[in-house]
Amino acid sequence: TGIDGLSIYSDANLARIVKGIVKFKRQNSNSPKLRNLAIVVTAWDGLAPVAKQISQITGQPFDPLDTKLSAECLDKFVYAFYPSTHAAIHSLGLSNIRYFPSFFEVERDSAGNPICWDGGNSPKIKRPEIFDRGRNWEDNVNTIKSSEFWFFKELDWLQELAN
């Protein structure tokens, strides 16, 4: 907020960016054809507290920290919560649109508020419990909860496109 030209609605701002791409592509027929689109959804961990409500609205299983999360669920999430952006993205007529969540899970207090470092307003990144999610405890020592899995999925997708 407070930046000239920006709306208080994130959907309007994101849709404006996508519509700019659509407009450019339509006005510049000599530019390379847009064949694929990747959307990285940042601060995905902030959605974890409302996962059940998102599942009910989209009709899809939803867990921001589940590595089996489907692209269909992410598309339905954007459709439900960012309708202008979704319309702009799909107006491109692309068959290969992928969504990738990106996050660092932060520590929260019992009320769900982020716990910040002493003397600052930067939230602490959560470390998993040693036996978190039943994985080998050696994998969880000195690690943080992040979207590393999804980052590698992005790289795999880009490599597929290059072939």
Side-chain angles (χ1 to χ4, degrees):
T1 59
I3 299 174
D4 289 340
L6 285 183
S7 170
I8 60 169
Y9 302 104
S10 56
D11 184 29
N13 295 325
L14 193 53
R16 186 181 301 160
I17 293 168
V18 175
K19 286 176 184 176
I21 295 168
V22 173
K23 184 178 178 181
F24 176 83
K25 287 298 182 182
R26 289 188 178 145
Q27 291 177 347
N28 296 283
S29 58
N30 293 333
S31 70
K33 184 180 177 187
L34 188 62
R35 298 181 317 222
N36 311 291
L37 183 65
I39 297 144
V40 178
V41 183
T42 59
W44 193 256
D45 59 303
L47 300 175
V50 292
K52 286 182 182 176
Q53 292 89 336
I54 291 172
S55 289
Q56 291 170 350
I57 292 167
T58 64
Q60 294 287 314
F62 181 85
D63 179 357
L65 303 176
D66 186 349
T67 56
K68 294 179 181 148
L69 190 62
S70 70
E72 182 180 354
C73 182
L74 290 167
D75 185 62
K76 286 189 176 189
F77 168 77
V78 174
Y79 177 76
F81 295 97
Y82 293 87
S84 296
T85 301
H86 190 272
I89 289 168
H90 285 272
S91 75
L92 291 166
L94 302 176
S95 60
N96 194 358
I97 300 170
R98 291 289 311 268
Y99 298 87
F100 298 97
S102 176
F103 60 88
F104 286 105
E105 190 175 357
V106 297
E107 289 188 24
R108 298 186 180 274
D109 62 19
S110 59
N113 300 315
I115 297 173
C116 295
W117 292 100
D118 293 336
N121 59 358
S122 178
K124 289 182 179 181
I125 296 172
K126 187 175 185 176
R127 291 180 179 270
E129 299 295 324
I130 289 179
F131 298 105
D132 192 30
R133 294 194 182 231
R135 295 179 8 212
N136 184 340
W137 69 271
E138 292 174 335
D139 294 337
N140 289 329
V141 176
N142 295 323
T143 62
I144 57 175
K145 291 191 175 185
S146 69
S147 58
E148 181 181 24
F149 171 86
W150 289 104
F151 174 74
F152 285 110
K153 287 292 184 191
E154 290 172 52
L155 293 178
D156 291 345
W157 184 71
L158 290 171
Q159 188 172 19
E160 286 173 26
L161 297 177
N163 295 333

